[in-house]
Amino acid sequence: FPFSKPKLNAYRLSQLFSTMSEEEIVDHLPALKASCAKHCPTQTKAYEACKDRIAKLGEGDCEAWYFDFLHCVDHCVAPQAFKKLK
């Protein structure tokens, strides 16, 4: 095809990576998620209560409560996540 993608050979990859900064890459997402989890007390309590029920009953799952918790955390993290990027 006339519009085929150029292949990345070892030489091109070495050029690509040699231009990258030698700085240590820091992932800010875990810290953001931890701080945002504090802003979701209702979802945290519901999820913990579900985990306790499951531990007593020995069956079932807390998937819905977990996803409610993650949705709340992600809603808090989203505006802050890209501010930390260069």
Side-chain angles (χ1 to χ4, degrees), residues 55-72:
K56 288 179 186 176
L57 296 175
E59 61 182 43
D61 64 49
C62 298
E63 184 176 346
W65 290 270
Y66 182 67
F67 283 121
D68 287 344
F69 170 72
L70 285 182
H71 177 76
C72 179

Side-chain angles (χ1 to χ4, degrees), residues 28-39 73 77:
H28 296 283
L29 202 54
L32 284 173
K33 285 183 177 184
S35 68
C36 281
K38 298 172 187 172
H39 297 285
V73 170
V77 168

Side-chain angles (χ1 to χ4, degrees), residues 9-72:
N9 58 27
Y11 176 72
R12 282 189 171 175
L13 285 175
S14 68
Q15 284 181 324
L16 176 67
F17 290 118
S18 68
T19 60
M20 293 177 65
S21 173
E22 296 295 325
E23 294 178 20
E24 184 70 27
I25 297 173
V26 178
D27 185 7
H28 296 283
L29 202 54
L32 284 173
K33 285 183 177 184
S35 68
C36 281
K38 298 172 187 172
H39 297 285
C40 303
T42 305
Q43 292 82 358
T44 302
K45 286 179 186 177
Y47 177 58
E48 293 297 328
C50 179
K51 287 191 333 185
D52 292 342
R53 282 193 308 273
I54 298 302
K56 288 179 186 176
L57 296 175
E59 61 182 43
D61 64 49
C62 298
E63 184 176 346
W65 290 270
Y66 182 67
F67 283 121
D68 287 344
F69 170 72
L70 285 182
H71 177 76
C72 179

